Amino acid sequence: MTNRTSSVRNICLLGCGGFIGSHLAERILADTDWHVFGIDRNPAKISAFLTNPKFTYANIDIDSAEAVDEYLNRSDTVVSLVALCNPSLYNTVPLQVIDSNFTRPLKIVERCAALRKRLVHFSTCEVYGTTISYRAGMPFNSTTDIFREESTPLVLGPISAQRWTYACAKQLLERAIFAHGKENGLDYTIVRPFNFIGPRMDFLPGIDGEGVPRVLACFMDALLSHKPLKLVDGGRNRRTFTAITDAIDALMAILAQPKNSSRRIFNIGNPANEISIAGLAKIMIDLYSELRPECADVSFCTQTVSSMEFYGPGYEDSDRRVPDISLAKKLLGWSPSVCLTDALRVAIGFYIKEYSGALACREVV
Ligand code: NAD
Ligand code: UDP
């Protein structure tokens, strides 16, 4: 992809050092002549680009209004990825979650409206909450329970279920963005990602981060340490996983086609990759064993844990999240093509290469 069809010249990536940001920066630097202003408090995942002349890195907090404004001013397009987006935080540090997913990024939205910058904002598939049928105690309905951007109601749990702080903060920000579009002429696109997976996702606890990462890294930590893979509530809930390469294709289509994506919300996900978390664990055990024949004598297993035990009080889960992606297909000409097994093979290969040495040292110590 080039920038021939797009008006992008200078792009500001807020949260550039995260999982999605690092992949987006990598693709933009490889495939376009755009200049990237990358803002993040942590440069570990983008160290490979720091010397690229088309990349300018700023180690600042998005709260540093003056410093951020400098980069917004120099950009025509702003991609806002900054968030605390790890479910283990939603019910344990809910005020920080609301702050990082609503209060702080709202200032970015306001600045983009005032400076007349195009904003591509990362929301989440979690704004949909649970399926309507699940809340009503009914079985999944393959017509009404598929998530559609322009018609599906957003179904969150009670206030005491603090799990929904993240979804609620993201939803309110979507509403603020929509209102800025209507009232202040903000040119925006909202992206709702459906469980992107790939290299550089999250961290391994005790190696390059602390706490509980998202499920891919949790399971990789278990596999690499020969511990049981923990299935929250038996792993009965389901997700649709999307290869990060497919996701980045969609983002590049959004960036390259401002007219088709302006004032739109897009589900970005791969409905063909839906699986239960128990099913995910099984595939990951099989792939890991295939990729590490030297572990042939290890018998990997799963262990059921309650959500109360794993996340603590206030956790509730989304039952299923299946996206309708017809809008992205029609307006962007985008479709995902990577199956779950291939996406997982690439991701697992990355973790093996990246972390085996560090884990071996941890065992020796
Ligand atoms: P991530 O945690 O890997 O990246 C977020 C980045 O933001 C981190 O590098 C962090 O250092 C940075 N950051 C946080 N607060 C900051 C601040 N105040 N100032 C500067 N930098 C700050 O997350 P990700 O998976 O790359 O997700 C990116 C976006 O996509 C988030 O908005 C998230 O809610 C959304 N999202 C992602 C997924 C997914 O599948 N990965 C799913 C749903 C939604
Ligand atoms: N999960 C699990 N074991 C783990 C980590 C997560 O069973 O070690 C479950 C979690 O309860 C949820 C699903 O995996 O049902 C996906 O969790 P993740 O943290 O990746 O993010 P979510 O999709 O909930 O935002």
Side-chain angles (χ1 to χ4, degrees):
M1 170 141 350
T2 70
N3 63 351
R4 253 174 271 145
T5 52
S6 121
S7 52
V8 182
R9 290 279 174 278
N10 297 300
I11 186 163
C12 182
L13 304 186
L14 303 166
C16 177
F19 165 54
I20 300 174
S22 68
H23 284 276
L24 184 56
E26 186 175 29
R27 180 75 72 84
I28 291 172
L29 292 170
D31 287 4
T32 75
D33 57 5
W34 310 342
H35 192 93
V36 177
F37 297 105
I39 292 178
D40 203 295
R41 294 179 305 204
N42 184 352
K45 293 181 185 177
I46 47 173
S47 55
F49 327 132
L50 294 178
T51 54
N52 188 315
K54 291 190 292 168
F55 186 72
T56 303
Y57 171 63
N59 187 340
I60 50 177
D61 192 292
I62 59 155
D63 249 6
S64 324
E66 247 175 65
V68 172
D69 246 26
E70 184 194 327
Y71 295 101
L72 299 186
N73 265 316
R74 291 164 75 184
S75 308
D76 43 72
T77 305
V78 176
V79 182
S80 180
L81 298 131
V82 163
L84 287 186
C85 51
N86 187 320
S88 66
L89 305 174
Y90 305 164
N91 59 320
T92 52
V93 288
L95 293 176
Q96 285 180 46
V97 169
I98 292 168
D99 191 43
S100 72
N101 287 290
F102 177 71
T103 317
R104 289 172 187 226
L106 177 63
K107 293 179 193 146
I108 299 297
V109 174
E110 289 165 351
R111 293 309 292 151
C112 285
L115 297 168
R116 313 218 71 74
K117 304 295 178 184
R118 179 179 177 214
L119 173 66
V120 176
H121 175 77
F122 272 74
S123 184
T124 173
C125 61
E126 198 154 318
V127 293
Y128 293 108
T130 64
T131 61
I132 297 168
S133 296
Y134 176 78
R135 283 277 166 212
M138 305 286 285
F140 185 80
N141 178 320
S142 57
T143 308
T144 56
D145 288 332
I146 304 289
F147 293 151
R148 297 184 172 82
E149 298 94 331
E150 293 175 357
S151 58
T152 302
L154 311 178
V155 183
L156 308 184
I159 298 298
S160 56
Q162 289 188 299
R163 154 67 186 246
W164 304 111
T165 48
Y166 170 74
C168 189
K170 288 279 200 191
Q171 185 195 139
L172 185 56
L173 196 60
E174 284 197 21
R175 293 188 188 279
I177 291 170
F178 184 86
H180 273 287
K182 289 250 177 220
E183 292 178 33
N184 297 326
L186 176 67
D187 180 12
Y188 68 85
T189 305
I190 291 172
V191 179
R192 291 182 180 163
F194 282 70
N195 290 73
F196 298 172
I197 50 169
R200 300 200 285 272
M201 185 166 192
D202 293 342
F203 56 88
L204 293 197
I207 303 285
D208 55 353
E210 295 302 332
V212 182
R214 287 169 283 189
V215 68
L216 178 77
C218 281
F219 285 179
M220 282 315 306
D221 183 42
L223 290 166
L224 287 158
S225 324
H226 302 178
K227 292 183 297 200
L229 282 65
K230 291 187 177 169
L231 300 180
V232 174
D233 296 332
R236 62 171 182 247
N237 292 311
R238 302 172 74 86
R239 296 291 188 269
T240 50
F241 292 95
T242 311
I244 188 68
T245 45
D246 274 339
I248 298 298
D249 286 346
L251 300 172
M252 294 305 283
I254 287 170
L255 291 169
Q257 301 176 65
K259 283 204 180 106
N260 291 345
S261 55
S262 182
R263 301 199 187 164
R264 291 279 183 185
I265 300 176
F266 289 109
N267 286 340
I268 301 300
N270 188 342
N273 286 348
E274 199 208 3
I275 192 161
S276 70
I277 299 304
L280 176 77
K282 179 167 183 337
I283 299 183
M284 287 185 67
I285 289 173
D286 290 349
L287 281 172
Y288 187 80
S289 307
E290 176 195 309
L291 291 167
R292 296 204 80 181
E294 68 274 26
C295 295
D297 55 344
V298 181
S299 73
F300 294 102
C301 64
T302 56
Q303 175 196 343
T304 288
V305 292
S306 70
S307 50
M308 174 65 105
E309 205 181 322
F310 195 80
Y311 290 111
Y315 180 80
E316 266 192 8
D317 211 343
S318 297
D319 55 325
R320 289 178 80 161
R321 298 174 181 161
V322 185
D324 178 320
I325 53 169
S326 46
L327 209 57
K329 279 185 181 167
K330 188 173 106 190
L331 293 178
L332 305 171
W334 171 81
S335 288
S337 63
V338 183
C339 71
L340 181 60
T341 307
D342 287 351
L344 284 171
R345 191 177 278 113
V346 171
I348 293 171
F350 164 82
Y351 284 91
I352 292 172
K353 195 160 164 265
E354 187 75 8
Y355 292 102
S356 297
L359 279 157
C361 294
R362 184 164 75 177
E363 273 151 30
V364 169
V365 174

